[in-house]
Amino acid sequence: MTGDRDDLDELGKALKAAVPPPDPARKQAALQAALRAHDDFFARAAKKTAGTGRPTGQSRRWGGLSEGAQAMWKKLTSKQILAGTTALAALALVVVVVPEALDRGTGDAEPERGLEPVVSSTEAQSASGNETERATREGAVAPAPGIIGAPGQETGQLGASGDVVAAGDADMPIDFSGRENAPPELTFGAEIDDTEISRRLDGRAAAPEGERSNLTGGASTNESDVDLLADVAEGLDDGGLAHREIEEAARRGSQEEPLVLSRDPSVVVPPEMHEPAMTLYEPAANETYPDSAQAGIMRVADAPVSTFSADVDTASYSLARSSLMAGFLPDPQSVRPEEFVNYFTYAYPAPEADGPPFRATVTVDATPWNADTRLVQIGIQGRMVDLAERPPFNAVFLIDTSGSMQDANKLPLVKQALTLLANSLREGDEIAIVTYAGNAGVALEPTGIDNLPAIRAAIARLGAGGSTAGAAGIDAAYAMAERMAAEGETTRVYLATDGDFNVGASGTDALQALIEKRRETGAYLSVLSFGRGNIRDDVAQTLAQAGNGQAAYIDTVFEAQRVLIDQQGAALVPIAGDLKLQVEWNPAAVSEYRLIGYETRALAREDFNNDAVDAGDIGAGHQVTAMYEVALTGQPGFTDPLRYASDTVPEGGIEGELGWLKMRWKEPGEDSSQLVEQPILSDLTEAIDGPSDRDFAAAIAGFAELLHGSKLIRNWDYQDAADLARANRGDDPTGARAEAIRLIELAGALDN
């Protein structure tokens, strides 16, 4: 007992002492003392619960603690708390406070002498607070839950003062040598769930995949989750540079190469795909969205033609996901059904080798929410390309480094996204980084991927502070892109921001005009939004459309991988510009129709043939899906027929056709468009035996309509959408469809 008491005394003295500079040896020694005290505490807790009927195994660890103490310990052990100097204070706080909670608990065992805290909780909190205050002064960024290898743990982090903050031994493994039942090595910065912690502290093997719990509801992992996590880990790890070289440079005091967190394959990462990299938030009044009021029902007799621009954005879906995961229904104005549907991939036929670079597939099905109408689905599949033969790629990252970007789900996540992209590019590609906060500046001159250490060092040095000069940054980024562009190469500007454009030419019209002028350089623009609270989704949509690019919202490292890696061909190899769709409905077959979504992409009928009118661009492998709900002539529709109209059933229709689809597009870099056409046949498309992509897409469209507040979906509800999606989940290699089903059910619970 005396030896154990000495260990706690040693830890108490370490906490009371002035906080020294980070020192690996001293931190290791102090941590060993904390771990020994931890073992002693749980051994006594087990002894106290012996014979009381309480369960053993993992439960013995919590059996003698009050609910508050249990929650504290679980939170500390299941999150990335062991990531820096503050880890020592945090772990010590548990060691000295939890026994006190045990003694005051409601368990039926008597308090055991010798477990009194060495230091008071106030003193321990003060020590922890001093560490936190020091980290804040130096500009350290707290790691975000749900982010692998949080950027707040990197060396080279630029603090508010502009000084680089060293990461110390952020990736130093805990030495468990000499401990009974020593678990496999754990690595600082890794996140594991409490089930795995219990197994490892018991010295047991990792749980089988199907038995691992996650941190957001206990759903079991699956092969898709494991594969996806492996993909992200591979993306974050360059796979070619030796970590030892970078770490050695950091130990020499270099501020030009970031310390890369080591990844121990024995560490189990939580399998939840999309745990939000954010805390719960209330819906923010200063978030703005484009006007997406639902389009009305159109009578074919009055308006037989429907025209719109292709759209491959997906920001609306991931924004809704972040809201739902935070416990709130999304703002109906933020819901754009076409972006929900286009978030997922479908098995559309590939285009012919000697035809246009895309192919349209049209199907007609019964409408799930209305037995009297038909659902016409238009699916466009872009041509796939061999990325090994693609032209060189120039990426200019325009990064908002204003003060509002310091949250863990903003700039730190931007840095991870940039690292993912950099690690996926190849020799011949170049990256440049322009920042804007008060004034635009160059954080990285154009640098080839063969000099990846310099790129990663520049990423690590990024820090947040100042106001936001959006226009100046855009100007500087396009100027950089123009410098980098060469004949036959593809150049893209990635604007990464939380939407807080508050200095300079911040009006949407002014920014749009600036980008429309700059796009003549041939560079494409993608707008990547991060965080919540300042989201300007309307600005992001406008700028992306003006820049011939896409808008995405990135809430997790997995979403960054999906946008920047999984869809890389679409960004690196454009195949069709200004893609417009126009449908002329046959009045003899269709009386009424409505286009589901695309309110922000609607075009006038005369815009279809006007090559000066901008429209959506698509890249290699891109898919575009659009849906119409139509009422057949002579059948019940959305409205009652007119009593005095002579055109209730117009003549001139062609039998066997619901309508005629026309598509205009331009070869990249060309000014004149080309036209392709095909009929929309009246017969229902042959049903598929088994899960159907068409039915899954219909379920997602219905889900979006419910969130959007549509009155046209009648008595259909969230459970109907979830049931239809579940029955047609089909092949789901990334788990995105399974996640969508959970989100539909969650929305139903929130919209009670």
Side-chain angles (χ1 to χ4, degrees), residues 185-228:
E185 179 183 90
L186 297 178
T187 305
F188 279 77
E191 181 180 349
I192 60 176
D193 61 38
D194 42 12
T195 302
E196 287 304 315
I197 288 174
S198 179
R199 288 179 179 274
R200 286 160 187 268
L201 291 176
D202 285 343
R204 289 179 283 162
E209 290 180 2
E211 297 180 10
R212 298 178 192 161
S213 67
N214 60 44
L215 300 176
T216 57
S220 62
T221 187
N222 53 45
E223 293 183 3
S224 299
D225 297 337
V226 174
D227 292 343
L228 185 60

Side-chain angles (χ1 to χ4, degrees), residues 662-682:
K662 299 193 294 185
M663 295 170 284
R664 279 201 175 275
W665 59 283
K666 300 174 185 174
E667 289 281 358
E670 296 294 325
D671 296 326
S672 299
S673 66
Q674 302 180 47
L675 175 67
V676 291
E677 305 173 273
Q678 67 185 73
I680 300 174
L681 301 178
S682 301

Side-chain angles (χ1 to χ4, degrees), residues 606-627:
E606 60 270 19
D607 290 341
F608 184 75
N609 292 326
N610 187 348
D611 287 344
V613 174
D614 187 55
D617 292 30
I618 64 173
H622 253 154
Q623 294 184 340
V624 179
T625 302
M627 292 183 183

Side-chain angles (χ1 to χ4, degrees), residues 21 58 73 75 105 136 213 279 287 299 439 502 504 615 643 649 673 715 751:
Q58 179 182 350
W73 178 257
K75 181 176 181 180
T136 302
S213 67
T279 56
E287 292 190 349
R299 295 180 68 241
N439 294 295
N502 56 15
R643 179 180 179 86
V649 183
S673 66
N715 295 322
D751 192 20

